[in-house]
Amino acid sequence: MTQVNVYRPDDFDDFWDSTLKQVAKVPLRPSFEYVEERSTDDVAVYDVHYDSWAGVRISGWYAVPRAAGPHPALMLVPGYISEPVIPRSWAKKGYAAFAVAPRGKLRSNQPYNPGYPGLLVDNIVDPNTYGYRGFYVDAVRAVDAVLTRPEVDPARVGLHGSSQGGALTITTAALMPDVVTCGAAGAPYLCGFMESARLTHSYPYEEINEYLRDHPDHEQRVAQSVGYYDGINFAPNIEAPMLVYIGLEDDVCPPETGFAVHDAMKCEKELLTYERCGHDAGNHWAMEKVEAFLAGHLGVAQ
Amino acid sequence: MSAFEGYWDAVDAELAQLPPQPVRDLVPRRCTADFTGYEVRLTSLGPYRIFGYLSVPTGPGPYPAVLTTPRYGSVNNPPHYNDRLRYVTLVIAHRGQRTADSSYAAAYPGLLTDGIADPDRYVYRGIVADCLRAAEYLTALPEVDTSRVAVAGDDLAVLTAARRPLFAALQVAGAPLFRGADQPDADYPAAEFGDHLRAHPQDADAVRRTLALFDPERHAPAVTAAARVEIPGEGGPLSALAEALDAQRYAPTHHGQADNDAADAWLAGRLGAAAMSRFSRMAG
């Protein structure tokens, strides 16, 4: 199997420490507006907004059991082209569930809107202005926003997502080691960027191949820049238990990169692999294990 | 003439009055020695400009072609590399989706019930027209072998094949969009119907009447294409749809790449092309 070698900048940790310190100066200004039409007898739904990197106002959906808390927080981080779904089904299971729409997604796209395709290569040669800098921070600030809720237990914060959601599970767990309790990452994207683009012609990584068609002399600059954003470089900083699940024939996020990010984790971890599965990452079988993993670590009865 | 026929004949008549005024722009980064990528814009009902990703294989042609109808969501990926090698491919963005969101931007959740109480104002009247316009555009391209054209997608693909009998093959996958109101416990997007009816219980009959116009099973008898339907589990609306289409049924194994490969092989076989898996360690 192909070895995935990722360039790790010497100042990787400093870059992200500095990024988080900069955004800490931006007041969060969280707002939670109750949405009657999307709420049910047992779940209350809120339209959420907060400020993030460069002052961009980020949106999300918060769904919480009407039963008295405290509830564990479950952060649901989205895939590349999908919009966050109101997480009512997770709230019914007992979580204070927050589905965030990082910058560029529909309700968070003012003034930043790189488009799809587009986000993956937006300023990709410059780590300081790369679109994913604010995007990763938006997921961190989502945790900050949900922790302003009095019904949320700050000692129980889980992360879950697949594909780009898998990537954000990894980056957020690494950036908030003192806050995150556990994470379940399916088919993690944004791991081994350059090797992935060599291994597949599926989107989103195909955006890098297209970019390099336009700018064939940028390959080294791109490789160095994305080193600051690679999940494999974040993985050693994770302290919370992690569950990773992958399809062994994933054409979107090559399985080689899923093995590599799991290998790079130093935390308590488990890897589930599924034969003949693609970007579904064995979802049909894995979800039962994901739910048990989250429930076990976050103290929710199944 | 039934109300059903009258409704859809009116859509066809309105669309026929609007010249598509196509514009086709070359996109160098989506071009290789094997294919040429374009972005296209067309006028649909409204009038409204819609968007599409078009790709044409290199060579004298004509080539088999595949129209992919839009998914439920704000974004559609451009055609896959493997498909661009074999087919003229067109993936459209319907009104409201990104790249076709001027001047109407769809909300998620919200699109599925936008205007649903009045069939003439239901947003999907225009969205189906967008798909029909795309079918007309694709099948009129000189690079296309009109005897080998397929349409792939969810309910929208069925309605497109029914209203435009231009297709040799119809591939249906995904949850049935317009039968979601029958599933009170469904998650989103089908949950949008329940949300709407909780807020507007007086709309119940009107919603039922509107959705009946879009019911793919009702459109199925007009489909002339050979069809394949993915049916997860026994029974349900997809099983009934497959029966109405006299379709080949495929029970997903839930091994996603195996299921993708099976779908690819069926379509390639119907269009006289070679099957290709998207997972290959020969990529480069």
Side-chain angles (χ1 to χ4, degrees):
Chain A
M1 184 173 280
T2 303
Q3 282 294 312
V4 179
N5 297 311
V6 172
Y7 164 71
R8 191 177 202 273
D10 290 342
D11 62 343
F12 178 87
D13 290 327
D14 291 342
F15 177 85
W16 285 104
D17 284 348
S18 160
T19 300
L20 294 183
K21 280 178 183 153
Q22 282 185 63
V23 78
K25 295 174 188 166
V26 177
L28 192 62
R29 296 198 307 125
S31 69
F32 288 74
E33 185 180 342
Y34 179 65
V35 185
E36 174 74 33
E37 185 176 338
R38 306 290 177 198
S39 300
T40 63
D41 290 345
D42 46 5
V43 174
V45 172
Y46 296 82
D47 184 1
V48 184
H49 297 269
Y50 59 88
D51 285 355
S52 183
W53 179 257
V56 174
R57 192 112 177 113
I58 303 303
S59 72
W61 296 107
Y62 177 59
V64 63
R66 289 196 190 273
H71 307 290
L74 180 59
M75 310 306 298
L76 298 156
V77 274
Y80 190 70
I81 63 171
S82 59
E83 295 299 326
V85 171
I86 296 174
R88 237 167 35 196
S89 58
W90 286 101
K92 283 179 81 169
K93 296 179 200 296
Y95 297 99
F98 188 107
V100 59
R103 66 194 53 216
K105 292 207 175 279
L106 277 187
R107 301 186 320 125
S108 307
N109 59 3
Q110 298 299 325
Y112 181 74
N113 194 9
Y116 297 89
L119 171 64
L120 180 58
V121 294
D122 183 45
N123 290 335
I124 194 169
V125 293
D126 176 12
N128 289 310
T129 58
Y130 187 33
Y132 269 114
R133 190 176 195 187
F135 201 94
Y136 285 8
V137 169
D138 297 342
V140 169
R141 299 279 276 192
V143 178
D144 292 338
V146 84
L147 291 179
T148 66
R149 298 294 297 182
E151 70 274 15
V152 167
D153 180 353
R156 293 182 290 158
V157 177
L159 302 162
H160 172 47
S162 195
S163 192
Q164 183 180 260
L168 292 174
T169 295
I170 289 163
T171 58
T172 309
L175 291 169
M176 306 184 89
D178 298 332
V179 175
V180 172
T181 309
C182 65
Y189 169 53
L190 303 173
C191 295
F193 287 60
M194 305 307 285
E195 199 60 48
S196 294
R198 280 189 278 273
L199 285 168
T200 186
H201 277 307
S202 295
Y203 288 98
Y205 283 122
E206 183 67 0
E207 287 185 34
I208 293 178
N209 294 325
E210 292 178 352
Y211 179 87
L212 293 176
R213 250 177 240 144
D214 270 357
H215 306 283
D217 55 330
H218 285 194
E219 185 164 353
Q220 190 176 358
R221 292 171 65 190
V222 171
Q224 289 181 349
S225 177
V226 297
Y228 289 91
Y229 293 88
D230 201 301
I232 294 169
N233 289 337
F234 280 95
N237 294 353
I238 298 173
E239 294 181 9
M242 297 290 288
L243 176 66
V244 180
Y245 53 105
I246 61 174
L248 293 177
E249 295 188 18
D250 187 343
D251 63 288
V252 178
C253 297
E256 292 89 341
T257 63
F259 283 112
V261 73
H262 178 261
D263 284 348
M265 291 174 182
K266 296 174 181 169
C267 55
E268 178 188 329
K269 61 187 179 181
E270 184 179 1
L271 176 66
L272 307 174
T273 62
Y274 295 94
E275 299 275 351
R276 288 294 272 142
C277 287
H279 202 49
D280 57 298
N283 185 60
H284 181 72
W285 300 278
M287 275 315 292
E288 186 180 342
K289 295 182 177 180
V290 168
E291 290 190 21
F293 171 84
L294 294 171
H297 285 285
L298 298 174
V300 166
Q302 277 202 290
Chain B
M1 181 187 294
S2 70
F4 178 83
E5 290 164 349
Y7 181 84
W8 290 107
D9 284 354
V11 170
D12 286 341
E14 275 184 55
L15 201 53
Q17 293 296 313
L18 287 168
Q21 305 292 12
V23 172
R24 173 166 155 170
D25 292 319
L26 185 76
V27 182
R29 68 172 53 187
R30 297 206 187 98
C31 299
T32 69
D34 298 312
F35 51 73
T36 303
Y38 304 91
E39 293 182 351
V40 299
R41 285 183 165 75
L42 309 166
T43 296
S44 178
L45 224 59
Y48 196 95
R49 285 300 260 183
I50 61 168
F51 174 91
Y53 295 112
L54 174 71
S55 188
V56 179
T58 303
Y63 293 96
V66 179
L67 169 65
T68 305
T69 57
R71 61 190 277 275
Y72 188 79
S74 65
V75 178
N76 302 292
N77 276 327
H80 192 274
Y81 189 96
N82 289 359
D83 296 335
R84 293 187 217 171
L85 293 172
R86 297 174 289 175
Y87 313 121
V88 177
T89 53
L90 178 63
V91 176
I92 66 154
H94 65 61
R95 65 193 58 212
Q97 292 184 308
R98 280 173 188 270
T99 62
D101 56 357
S102 177
S103 57
Y104 169 73
Y108 299 92
L111 178 69
L112 206 43
T113 57
D114 188 350
I116 195 169
D118 178 352
D120 289 329
R121 297 185 59 203
Y122 187 35
V123 69
Y124 271 91
R125 182 179 192 267
I127 289 173
V128 172
D130 299 343
C131 296
L132 301 181
R133 179 104 296 172
E136 295 163 358
Y137 173 73
L138 178 65
T139 53
L141 292 176
E143 298 96 331
V144 169
D145 176 351
T146 52
S147 69
R148 294 187 293 160
V149 183
V151 58
D154 56 18
D155 300 22
L156 291 173
V158 179
L159 269 63
T160 304
R163 300 300 308 173
R164 295 292 179 272
L166 303 164
F167 298 97
L170 162 66
Q171 190 160 58
V172 184
L177 215 50
F178 301 118
R179 296 295 290 269
D182 302 341
Q183 305 159 43
D185 297 327
D187 206 343
Y188 289 98
E192 289 185 31
F193 295 118
D195 289 353
H196 181 89
L197 292 173
R198 263 198 319 282
H200 308 282
Q202 72 281 6
D203 284 354
D205 287 343
V207 167
R208 200 174 305 119
R209 278 196 299 274
T210 298
L211 290 179
L213 297 167
F214 292 81
D215 183 349
E217 204 178 317
R218 206 166 166 193
H219 285 268
V223 173
T224 57
R228 176 185 188 270
V229 180
E230 289 193 9
I231 308 170
E234 291 295 316
L238 284 171
S239 186
L241 176 63
E243 191 170 330
L245 289 168
D246 194 20
Q248 181 183 106
R249 295 158 178 261
Y250 179 79
T253 65
H254 304 292
H255 295 275
Q257 199 59 254
D259 293 334
N260 291 343
D261 290 350
D264 182 274
W266 183 85
L267 198 61
R270 282 283 160 188
L271 298 182
M276 293 179 77
S277 177
R278 291 185 180 185
F279 183 82
S280 165
R281 283 298 162 258
M282 302 296 284

